[in-house]
Amino acid sequence: MDILEFASEQKDRVVQKAKAWLKSLWRNLCSKILKYKKVRLAIDKALLYRAKAKRKWIGLKYYRRTHKDYKLTRYVIKQLLVYFFVMYLFFFLIFFVNQIMLFMKQLLGKRIPISDAMKLMFYSLPFVIAQSAPFATLTGFLMCLGRMNTDNEILIFKASGCNLRKLLLKPIAVLGVIISIFSFFVNDYLLPLGTSKTREQLRKSIASNPTMEVEAQSVKRLNETSVVFGNVADKDVSDLILFDYDESGNQRFIIAGKTHVDSGAYKGVSMRFDMNDATVIVLDKRQPANFDLLKSKTMSLHLFESTVFSFDRRLSPAELTSFDLGKKIREMRKEPGRDPREINMNVLEFNKKFSLPFGSLFFAFLAMPLALLFGKVNGQTIGLVVGIFISFLYWAMMTVGIQLGYRNGWNGFFLMWLPNVTVGVAAVLFYLGARKK
């Protein structure tokens, strides 16, 4: 046994010495080969190509992953925009038809020219555009995401390892911000411009066709003047009674038979009454028992624009941009004895210029959890019904808030932002419910 162990040890030593000799031989050989410049350059080139190939492989893998995400994101954005524009057209037609009905009720019965009516409807387009954007965002996004949920597209996204928050929330947030900014521009710049143009067009229409303010068998209140009309035939009125005040503040009654109504011949004059068999009674306010009585075969009465129009030449809050309206509010608060109700009305209009356009962003965030929760079956139809219902509630809250602010003096900031806050809280609650589900 000792001889065998000795032989095995000798064998191992010989093998180790042989390995060490071969290693040293290989090192010497490599060192001699590396001494040649061409060999070193060839090795450096090989290492460079290897590094480039590795970088290209990593870049290709990254490109494939990012390109896949980009294509999916582009698909989601395209679908959201298609449904948004379809619903935008839907709400635009609803609000535009409503405006046409209002114009038909208020203006067409007064024999206003068709060209003037078309201009007035054109000037009302900013109002229609600003009103349609938030509701189209909610309904369009709900229908789109509901359809994707019904067709199991969202399930496929999840199964393929996509991050839904990145794939859906990011496009929704970006589109919501873009729509809100566009709607704010329309609401803050084009809407005041349209309102101002509407007022000027009404002045021109009444000046060119004064009979649009004349209605048979009616009492017309023209600022501080009240006019009672008898039967009307074209521009002729059978009987007319006018109540107003003269320069001294004395009450005046003008009674006339057949009267011809025509446009004013001078600048600032809205209409002219050419009266036959006119009687004028002026009561002395200091001595009520005394009065002046005048009679005339013919008489002409000129009504100025300040008499016909109940609004003055100052711009209303709806005709101011947010910058100008904010400046006006700060000046009003500095004035002593200013009516708080009037300040609150301006504050309400100021906040309305922001709350309504940026309602699109709140609606965009509400659409995703609602579609995930209720869009598993018939998601597109359910999205349409739910979107219209929520839009009606939102519109009702805004309308009631405006009435409470104008009539009861409630805080304008709170009333105008309450609908958006309600939508935001609902979006958070529904999102938490969707995560649990």
Side-chain angles (χ1 to χ4, degrees), residues 80 137-146 172 360-374 383 390 423 427 430:
L80 289 173
T137 302
L138 172 65
T139 312
F141 285 13
L142 265 176
M143 291 179 64
C144 176
L145 297 174
I172 288 173
S360 300
L361 183 60
F362 289 89
F363 279 144
F365 284 113
L366 177 64
M368 179 179 171
L370 282 178
L372 294 178
L373 287 173
F374 306 109
I390 295 176
V423 172
F430 282 121

Side-chain angles (χ1 to χ4, degrees), residues 252-432:
R252 179 171 56 187
F253 304 90
I254 301 176
I255 306 170
K258 185 177 180 180
T259 303
H260 182 77
V261 182
D262 206 345
S263 57
Y266 307 100
K267 185 178 180 180
V269 177
S270 180
M271 62 179 69
R272 184 180 79 250
F273 292 156
D274 294 327
M275 306 176 180
N276 295 318
D277 299 325
T279 301
V280 181
I281 303 174
V282 181
L283 302 179
D284 192 343
K285 66 177 182 179
R286 290 169 296 185
Q287 298 179 2
N290 298 334
F291 63 91
D292 296 329
L293 177 63
L294 303 175
K295 289 188 177 184
S296 175
K297 193 72 176 177
T298 60
M299 185 179 73
S300 294
L301 177 67
H302 298 265
L303 294 182
F304 292 93
E305 289 183 354
S306 59
T307 304
V308 176
F309 294 99
S310 59
F311 44 80
D312 55 24
R313 292 187 176 272
R314 293 179 299 176
L315 296 177
S316 64
E319 296 177 274
L320 296 174
T321 63
S322 59
F323 177 81
D324 295 330
L325 185 56
K327 183 178 179 181
K328 178 182 177 182
I329 292 172
R330 290 191 294 271
E331 293 175 354
M332 291 174 65
R333 286 174 173 170
K334 293 179 181 179
E335 296 178 7
R338 195 74 178 193
D339 187 6
R341 187 181 292 270
E342 183 181 358
I343 296 176
N344 184 65
M345 289 166 56
N346 286 270
V347 171
L348 186 145
E349 288 291 339
F350 177 80
N351 286 278
K352 183 183 175 183
K353 293 180 181 294
F354 290 90
S355 62
L356 183 61
F358 285 94
S360 300
L361 183 60
F362 289 89
F363 279 144
F365 284 113
L366 177 64
M368 179 179 171
L370 282 178
L372 294 178
L373 287 173
F374 306 109
K376 190 62 179 175
V377 180
N378 296 326
Q380 187 169 323
T381 304
I382 292 176
L384 175 62
V385 175
V386 173
I388 293 177
F389 178 72
I390 295 176
S391 299
F392 173 76
L393 292 180
Y394 183 90
W395 175 81
M397 290 182 67
M398 290 289 292
T399 304
V400 172
I402 293 173
Q403 295 299 322
L404 291 175
Y406 273 86
R407 295 184 179 181
N408 300 337
W410 288 24
N411 187 274
F413 173 83
F414 171 77
L415 292 174
M416 289 298 98
W417 285 102
L418 179 62
N420 287 343
V421 172
T422 304
V423 172
V425 172
V428 173
L429 295 177
F430 282 121
Y431 180 76
L432 296 176

